[in-house]
């Protein structure tokens, strides 16, 4: 994890590993691999590579992004107080900016 941007990916990966370890009744702490249904024993390194490849596919295909845009109401809660707050900041000489990694 080398940037805050990867924090969510790493938390998600940790949750996946936690789930797989819980499901593998033969797993012992310190093992370099875990039993994955349908794949057998898979190393944590290979799981990470597969995980990142899947994330890249989702980003490249843009299907997920399009779904989120079409269903923005499920992910963004509009707060009716925001316009008043921004106007108040402007009236008091404050400057604001929006920083995003989105298009």
């Amino acid at each position: 994890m080398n940037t805050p941007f990867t924090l969510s990916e790493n938390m998600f990966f940790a949750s996946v590993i936690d789930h797989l370890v819980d499901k593998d009744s033969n797993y012992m702490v310190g093992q370099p691999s875990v039993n994955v249904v349908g794949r057998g024993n898979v190393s944590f390194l290979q799981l990470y590579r597969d995980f990142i490849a899947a994330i890249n596919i989702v980003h490249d295909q843009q299907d997920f992004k399009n779904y989120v845009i079409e269903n923005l109401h499920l992910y963004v809660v509009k707060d009716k107080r925001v316009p008043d707050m921004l106007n108040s900041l402007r009236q008091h000489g404050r400057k604001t900016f929006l920083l995003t990694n989105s298009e």
Side-chain angles (χ1 to χ4, degrees):
M1 179 181 343
N2 59 359
T3 68
F5 182 73
T6 61
L7 181 60
S8 59
E9 290 177 1
N10 285 288
M11 292 299 295
F12 185 30
F13 181 66
S15 296
V16 169
I17 294 301
D18 191 48
H19 172 77
L20 292 173
V21 165
D22 283 349
K23 295 293 179 189
D24 183 356
S25 60
N26 294 320
Y27 179 78
M28 299 192 60
V29 174
Q31 276 182 226
S33 62
V34 65
N35 189 359
V36 178
V37 175
R39 290 186 66 188
N41 257 2
V42 181
S43 73
F44 292 116
L45 178 59
Q46 186 59 50
L47 286 171
Y48 182 74
R49 288 177 178 155
D50 294 347
F51 181 81
I52 295 302
I55 287 175
N56 289 336
I57 288 169
V58 169
H59 284 185
D60 291 345
Q61 290 179 348
Q62 304 252 332
D63 292 341
F64 183 67
K65 179 180 178 181
N66 292 336
Y67 174 83
V68 170
I69 290 170
E70 291 169 9
N71 297 282
L72 205 55
H73 65 282
L74 298 173
Y75 303 97
V76 177
V77 177
K78 291 186 178 183
D79 187 333
K80 295 178 182 178
R81 301 171 297 172
V82 170
D84 290 337
M85 179 198 64
L86 292 173
N87 284 328
S88 177
L89 288 171
R90 185 183 314 141
Q91 289 170 356
H92 290 89
R94 303 293 187 242
K95 295 185 179 187
T96 61
F97 71 96
L98 175 64
L99 176 65
T100 177
N101 65 347
S102 300
E103 297 169 6

